[in-house]
Amino acid sequence: MFPYDNGQCRVKPERPPLRNGKPVKYLAPVGSRQQAYFPPGVREKIDAGAIEVIVTEGEKKALCATQAGFPTIGLPGVDGWHPAKSTALLPELAAINWRGRTVYVVFDS
């Protein structure tokens, strides 16, 4: 289970259900909005002025990179930086001062 700042969570099921013939990698509560995942301590490091930040797909990769010492934000997929039918940043990403910060985008493919 991956808890988010707002009290919601996503889970990676051991036996994923199928949706449109494909296994669902992560499950979230019905009606929950797409959001960025900040592992414990990452938001504080960013707010304190961490110059370099990694953005990747998925909570597990974000946790692993953060544990290795790299402040990392996890997205729920390549298109996970914005709400559906919008090109605006997710609110939690829009709240970050990105000016002067090096951001490494590290996606699966």
Side-chain angles (χ1 to χ4, degrees):
M1 178 169 53
F2 301 98
Y4 282 74
D5 293 346
N6 64 359
Q8 291 184 352
C9 66
R10 287 195 339 151
V11 295
K12 184 169 176 75
E14 187 174 316
R15 293 180 192 88
L18 297 179
R19 186 176 298 146
N20 299 326
K22 295 181 181 180
V24 177
K25 292 182 183 179
Y26 292 91
L27 299 173
V30 174
S32 60
R33 72 170 181 84
Q34 185 160 276
Q35 54 191 319
Y37 177 69
F38 291 80
V42 168
R43 192 179 299 275
E44 292 80 5
K45 285 182 181 179
I46 291 171
D47 291 345
I51 300 299
E52 296 180 338
V53 175
I54 295 173
V55 177
T56 191
E57 288 179 85
E59 295 91 343
K60 286 180 12 179
K61 288 180 223 89
L63 280 167
C64 182
T66 298
Q67 288 175 345
F70 305 100
T72 305
I73 300 169
L75 299 178
V78 174
D79 249 358
W81 55 271
H82 63 94
K85 300 178 183 177
S86 172
T87 57
L89 286 175
L90 293 170
E92 59 272 21
L93 297 176
I96 296 172
N97 179 5
W98 296 103
R99 185 160 307 222
R101 192 182 303 269
T102 301
V103 178
Y104 299 96
V105 179
V106 184
F107 289 136
D108 293 350
S109 57

